[in-house]
Amino acid sequence: MSASSDSHSNRQTSIHRPVLVREVLRAVDPQPGQVIVDGTVGGGGHSREILSRIGPSGRLIGLDRDPAMLKLAANAVSGANVDLVHASYAELTDVLEQLDTGPVDAILLDLGLSSDQLAENSRGFGFSTTAPLDLRFDVTRGEPAWQLLERLGKAELCTLFQDYGEERFAAAIAAEIISQRTQQPIRTGQDLTEIVDRVASSERGARSDRNSAARVFQALRIAVNEELGQLEKFLNSVLEKNLKTGGRGAIISFHSLEDRLVKNAFRDKHRFRVLTPKPVIATAVEQRANPRSRSAKLRVVEKR
Ligand SMILES: C[S@@+](CC[C@H](N)C(=O)[O-])C[C@H]1O[C@@H](n2cnc3c(N)ncnc32)[C@H](O)[C@@H]1O
């Protein structure tokens, strides 16, 4: 954990369009003077709205695993009552202990990838990037995706694509990766996309629609960032421990693996009261305006 420092991007402001903003504000209901955590602050889209409602007497704590995102967030939210911290939301207990806040009024997570990260070629998040296929949110730790593609065996790759990508051509894609990498290393997003598209179109007997590539990239990203492990840790102990009684936890997820974990954890009646019996989804207007919002699901609880 450390304060925000370097950036990989020269961009000063975020291009990310936050999803479900109105719905988050309605659910979290930020009030002047409250202490609120944005555990995935990103470009600060949600945080900006929260900060304007909690006002100068409130306190906003924004976390991100990506130092480059903290730099963008600092342009959206700043002031004596804002702390931006380089840490995973799974480490929130330690962060709040260091900041000496005590339990907070609300915690928001908006999971996954921001459009700023996707747009940055050097991060290797895009299908056609020519930079090394990294896919880590925090490039200061862990293993980049290209190394994983080099290290894992066929069965491991197949399981990874099945479990984290729910990809039906997982076995064929894993086999092709093994065969290709003996001839030439798979280093970039473009290299991987070419392989996946080729396998998917030959399996489907048609031109590939890029969905397989999306699922394979998702699987690798989940693996290199240990995304499900981070979320489980947060749901099992961190959320409840750091919320006041009556405090609100709001989580936006973008795929079924995450949403299932959230839904199951929120079912625990001893710890939480569910405020969203069904997940909140984006309106038709938002879905049209921001395609990323189409897969977003918001679930909210109150701590008992
Ligand atoms: C969808 S974006 C958040 C966008 C933000 N709500 C906004 O309005 O700009 C998700 C962010 O979460 C960060 N992230 C992913 N996993 C994280 C984790 N375990 N802890 C903290 N941040 C994480 C990513 O680096 C990314 O910046």
Side-chain angles (χ1 to χ4, degrees):
M1 184 196 331
S2 66
S4 160
S5 54
D6 61 339
S7 165
H8 300 279
S9 167
N10 295 322
R11 211 178 312 113
Q12 296 295 307
T13 49
S14 174
I15 58 165
H16 182 83
R17 274 177 93 156
V19 302
L20 296 170
V21 175
R22 234 171 358 145
E23 292 79 358
V24 165
L25 293 172
R26 202 176 301 137
V28 171
D29 193 22
Q31 296 296 321
Q34 285 191 333
V35 182
I36 297 191
V37 171
D38 184 342
T40 53
V41 66
H46 288 105
S47 273
R48 186 191 290 117
E49 299 300 325
I50 291 170
L51 185 61
S52 77
R53 282 161 178 79
I54 59 176
S57 60
R59 187 170 182 187
L60 175 82
I61 297 133
L63 273 57
D64 206 292
R65 274 176 114 182
D66 183 346
M69 292 311 301
L70 288 170
K71 194 136 188 181
L72 287 182
N75 291 322
V77 285
S78 59
N81 60 342
V82 176
D83 294 277
L84 295 175
V85 185
H86 179 211
S88 167
Y89 57 70
E91 300 167 320
L92 182 64
T93 305
D94 293 340
V95 173
L96 295 187
E97 216 171 280
Q98 283 189 21
L99 295 174
D100 200 19
T101 61
V104 302
D105 294 288
I107 304 175
L108 166 69
L109 297 187
D110 173 19
L111 299 169
L113 185 67
S114 103
S115 308
D116 298 300
Q117 292 162 321
L118 193 59
E120 186 61 44
N121 183 62
S122 67
R123 303 296 295 273
F125 282 109
F127 296 146
S128 53
T129 48
T130 48
L133 181 68
D134 193 308
L135 302 185
R136 285 173 297 171
F137 292 127
D138 184 354
V139 295
T140 65
R141 32 180 141 165
E143 183 180 31
W146 65 263
Q147 244 173 46
L148 211 63
L149 288 178
E150 208 160 70
R151 180 172 63 76
L152 296 186
K154 187 157 70 177
E156 290 170 301
L157 282 174
C158 176
T159 306
L160 195 151
F161 299 149
Q162 270 167 349
D163 290 357
Y164 294 165
E166 299 178 315
E167 169 53 39
R168 66 185 167 132
F169 305 134
I173 293 167
E176 185 64 9
I177 287 171
I178 301 291
S179 139
Q180 283 297 308
R181 79 182 182 194
T182 55
Q183 296 162 38
Q184 209 183 337
I186 303 158
R187 277 291 151 80
T188 68
Q190 204 173 50
D191 295 343
L192 179 63
T193 302
E194 272 170 27
I195 292 172
V196 175
D197 279 359
R198 197 165 58 239
V199 173
S201 50
S202 99
E203 293 284 324
R204 286 156 39 98
R207 254 181 74 77
S208 169
D209 58 8
R210 280 284 148 90
N211 287 342
S212 290
R215 287 187 286 263
V216 165
F217 272 65
Q218 173 188 297
L220 286 167
R221 206 197 68 209
I222 291 176
V224 296
N225 294 297
E226 293 169 6
E227 288 179 38
L228 300 181
Q230 299 284 311
L231 183 57
E232 275 179 315
K233 184 174 172 198
F234 176 83
L235 292 167
N236 290 340
S237 57
V238 176
L239 177 61
E240 181 196 7
K241 188 165 184 178
N242 293 291
L243 275 181
K244 285 179 183 165
T245 300
R248 303 214 167 153
I251 304 185
I252 303 171
S253 61
F254 290 87
H255 56 76
S256 56
L257 298 169
E258 288 170 346
D259 185 54
R260 213 172 297 144
L261 291 179
V262 176
K263 186 170 79 179
N264 290 337
F266 281 8
R267 268 197 191 128
D268 184 346
K269 292 195 171 63
H270 298 295
R271 299 191 291 157
F272 303 120
R273 191 166 74 86
V274 172
L275 302 184
T276 48
K278 283 193 174 156
V280 177
I281 59 169
T283 60
V285 173
E286 181 174 4
Q287 293 193 28
R288 264 197 306 277
N290 182 4
R292 216 181 140 271
S293 70
R294 288 177 196 156
S295 50
K297 285 187 176 158
L298 167 69
R299 293 186 188 269
V300 187
V301 282
E302 198 174 83
K303 181 180 161 175
R304 286 191 188 276

